Amino acid sequence: MFGRSHLEKRVGLALGSGAARGWAHLGVIRAVEEAGHEVAWVAGCSMGAVVATAHALGRLDALEAFARGLTPKKVLGYLDLAMPVRSLLDGDRVTELFRELFDGRDLKDAQVPLCVVATDLATGREVRLCEGPAAEAVRASIAVPGIFAPVVVDGRYLADGGLVNPVPVNVVRALGADVVVAVDLNAELGNGSWFEPDRPAEASEAAPGATEAAHAMALAVRHDLGPEETLGILGRRYRRLEMQIKERALKWIVHSARPNIFDILGTSINIVARQITEERLDAMRPRMVVRPRVGGISLWEFADAAQAIDAGYRAASEALKDQ
């Protein structure tokens, strides 16, 4: 179907979930377009939603430049640590980043038909976001439970679309595509070497947050402070702690010897997504499935974009050659 005699064919892309491995979608789109195909419909889930939206809004070059320029320290700059009531991260800084990357535009401004997939936490159902602010829609689609706070859209609490539809082939078809290329980043579970039983463990470190909060509460009780003064003490101590926690998070992200909470939550979602992906792809039968070899990339190594992009480009180029 994708031989040289069919270069005029327009295709739809279903871009799947995969956290940092999702940068591979950038390479896939480059390879598909270089082969002479027009990506005329696109839907995405989680990181696939980020790349799908950038493509549809004409912001792919800006997104790739941003991705290739990331460093571990820059990644940390987008982590707004939350008091862990709903999630580890608030996600407000990421929303602002998306507003900048997508130029503050609406999904309905897309140059090609576009939908972003999220999950309604109240019903467990797939939600297709095809209009509304692009930044908020994509932020909802990447809201991995426990890591990012959910996003309220039209009165619904929305989270990561990968919970229900990790590779949204059906959504691309609903947009009008008759030829669908699916990009599956969940085929390799990957990079779980920290679960090996013979790997040396790090020395245990106490988390400072709970201790500091306890000290603040003790101080408030001792001096019989009211709610406003107590919150003020907690806030000041929390702000002082933020840089300490970020420094520790940088160590986790760059060279953790054993799984941290980000690894555990992300890998757990990845395991579920892999099972759902296999079942859905078998049932929906897209014309072609591209599976970049990204299992060696940690789910949170967003600064390793070049490796993921290259993997996506190679996988798509090889898949196109075989058609």
Side-chain angles (χ1 to χ4, degrees):
M1 186 66 199
F2 290 89
R4 287 291 172 184
S5 61
H6 294 94
L7 289 180
E8 76 281 6
K9 288 289 184 182
R10 303 196 306 160
V11 302
L13 282 187
L15 304 183
S17 61
R21 299 168 186 172
W23 293 133
H25 294 310
L26 291 164
V28 171
I29 292 176
R30 300 301 189 197
V32 168
E33 291 181 336
E34 278 186 22
H37 305 287
E38 177 191 354
V39 179
W41 304 268
V42 65
C45 165
S46 199
M47 269 298 285
V50 177
V51 179
T53 301
H55 168 74
L57 293 176
R59 299 288 292 169
L60 204 65
D61 289 345
L63 180 63
E64 182 167 350
F66 167 80
R68 290 185 180 276
L70 279 174
T71 64
K73 286 189 177 180
K74 284 183 179 178
V75 172
L76 278 182
Y78 295 107
L79 305 186
D80 43 359
L81 297 166
M83 294 293 276
V85 176
R86 295 184 302 163
S87 61
L88 293 173
L89 306 175
D90 281 326
D92 294 339
R93 292 177 192 170
V94 172
T95 303
E96 287 302 317
L97 169 65
F98 288 155
R99 288 195 184 112
E100 181 181 344
L101 286 171
F102 302 142
D103 203 23
R105 297 170 70 186
D106 195 284
L107 293 177
K108 66 184 179 183
D109 297 330
Q111 299 167 6
V112 300
L114 162 72
C115 266
V116 165
V117 177
T119 301
D120 186 330
L121 287 178
T123 65
R125 292 179 180 171
E126 169 188 307
V127 176
R128 301 178 186 182
L129 301 172
C130 305
E131 61 180 25
E136 282 71 13
V138 173
R139 168 66 180 79
S141 187
I142 70 161
V144 178
I147 293 180
F148 282 110
V151 176
V152 180
V153 177
D154 296 330
R156 297 176 294 187
Y157 281 88
L158 302 185
D160 192 339
L163 296 170
V164 291
N165 196 356
V167 185
V169 173
N170 60 323
V171 180
V172 182
R173 285 204 176 113
L175 289 172
D178 55 352
V179 176
V180 178
V181 176
V183 185
D184 173 18
L185 304 179
N186 298 312
E188 300 177 292
L189 192 57
N191 205 11
S193 58
W194 17 254
F195 283 121
E196 294 172 5
D198 58 346
R199 181 159 186 163
E202 293 174 323
S204 177
E205 295 181 57
T211 303
E212 286 287 337
H215 286 169
M217 292 303 295
L219 183 66
V221 170
R222 188 162 57 247
H223 293 281
D224 195 24
L225 299 180
E228 199 168 312
E229 294 90 344
T230 302
L231 286 175
I233 292 172
L234 281 169
R236 287 191 293 275
R237 288 183 177 250
Y238 181 71
R239 283 190 292 274
R240 281 205 307 272
L241 282 168
E242 189 171 14
M243 284 312 300
Q244 296 177 37
I245 296 171
K246 282 191 173 185
E247 287 171 5
R248 184 170 297 178
L250 179 60
K251 184 177 71 173
W252 287 345
I253 291 169
V254 177
H255 44 66
S256 177
R258 59 181 180 174
N260 57 63
I261 190 166
F262 291 94
D263 293 321
I264 293 166
L265 289 172
T267 302
S268 299
I269 296 293
N270 190 221
I271 291 168
V272 174
R274 185 171 63 167
Q275 299 299 319
I276 298 172
T277 298
E278 289 175 1
E279 293 174 6
R280 281 185 164 258
L281 290 180
D282 187 56
M284 294 179 185
R285 297 189 175 277
R287 187 65 56 87
M288 186 173 78
V289 180
V290 178
R291 292 187 171 95
R293 300 297 302 272
V294 289
I297 300 173
S298 165
L299 291 169
W300 309 113
E301 287 177 347
F302 287 97
D304 205 4
Q307 183 182 346
I309 293 169
D310 291 346
Y313 181 87
R314 285 194 305 273
S317 297
E318 289 300 315
L320 289 165
K321 250 187 245 180
D322 293 339
Q323 298 297 315

